[in-house]
Each structure stands twice: as C-alpha cells, then as structure tokens.
Amino acid sequence: MTGGGLILVVEDSEEDTEAIQRALSRSHPLLDLEFAPRSEDVLPRLLDPAARTPDLVLLDLNMPGIGGLALLSSLRAHTACASLTVVVFTSSTASAEEDACYAAGADSYIYKPVNFELFQTVLRGAVDFWLPRAADGAVTAAPPAAPPA
C-alpha cells in the first residue's frame, strides 16, 4: 500500500522516532505521521472529537510514566478507542511481554530490528498489512476459505 492514511506513533526515543520517520517517508510518502512522545497525551488526543482518528497506532512499550502496556489496556477500555488497530513496535523480546500485549488487545507485536534496512522492511510490512485492514474496518484477517468438498 502506498496511499495515505494517518499513523499515530507513540514513541519517546528521538532516535527511533527519526528512524520511523525516515523509513516510512521512503516506503509510504503519502502517509501522515503524528508522533506522541508521552503516553499521557495519547488518550486525551484520541478522545478529542475534533482530532483526526488514526488508521493505525504504532506503540512502543518502554515509555516513561505510563508504559505502553498500560496505555494499550486503557485504549481497549474506552469504546471510542477499542477498535483502533494497535501494533506494538518494541525492542522487547520478552515472551511474557508479548503475551501480555496480546492479552491486553494488541493486534500485532513486532520487534524493532537494530539494522536500519531490516527495520525499514519490517515496518513497511506491518504498515502494508495493517493499514488496509484499518481502512476497511477489519481488525483481523479473514480465515482462509475451506476448500470445496
């Protein structure tokens, strides 16, 4: 997908913010990116009726103050945010954190590669997969059709 859309990136690291911006500006130049460096600002922003609703939320877990997992739980608890597509994009490889994120309602859990080329490829793949589903209102991919009997 190379069309537009809005991604809200919840990320406190300036280095990761710059990498995300560089990667997506190359692969998806028509995307609008909005960055939230503080978790505390995300829920009020999403509940603001005058603000554009993002098509995808890219969420870092390791945030100061309210952590990404707590923010994810808060988002899923609000009806206005419950159907947002939320992709956790984190440096954490802990399987317990991954399980907790899925239990809290994450649509996907993706590890941030250190190598920029791989980082860009992984991020492009996530956006290409999730952005069309968010635009269609689908939260998950449809199961494959059963073969004819």
Side-chain angles (χ1 to χ4, degrees):
M1 175 174 182
T2 56
L6 173 63
I7 297 180
L8 176 61
V9 181
V10 184
E11 174 64 66
D12 65 311
S13 163
E14 288 182 26
E15 185 177 286
D16 286 348
T17 296
E18 182 181 327
I20 290 167
Q21 192 162 10
R22 280 189 19 225
L24 290 178
S25 69
R26 292 176 184 180
S27 64
H28 297 80
L30 299 179
L31 269 178
D32 291 326
L33 299 176
E34 182 180 336
F35 292 91
R38 294 171 21 102
S39 297
E40 292 81 3
D41 299 333
V42 174
L43 194 56
R45 186 266 179 236
L46 291 172
L47 296 176
D48 180 355
R52 181 176 167 198
T53 302
D55 299 295
L56 176 66
V57 175
L58 200 59
L59 176 63
D60 183 31
L61 277 186
N62 302 314
M63 302 282 292
I66 299 172
L69 183 58
L71 176 59
L72 176 60
S73 296
S74 294
L75 293 178
R76 293 306 188 215
H78 282 80
T79 339
C81 301
S83 64
L84 285 173
T85 300
V86 179
V87 173
V88 174
F89 192 54
T90 185
S91 56
S92 174
T93 59
S95 60
E97 277 193 327
E98 182 177 355
D99 292 344
C101 286
Y102 281 120
D107 292 293
S108 186
Y109 187 98
I110 300 172
Y111 174 73
K112 290 180 195 169
V114 176
N115 172 287
F116 181 73
E117 188 174 314
L118 186 55
F119 181 97
Q120 184 175 1
T121 300
V122 167
L123 193 52
R124 179 179 57 237
V127 170
D128 285 346
F129 183 83
W130 287 107
L131 212 53
R133 283 161 177 73
D136 293 341
V139 176
T140 57

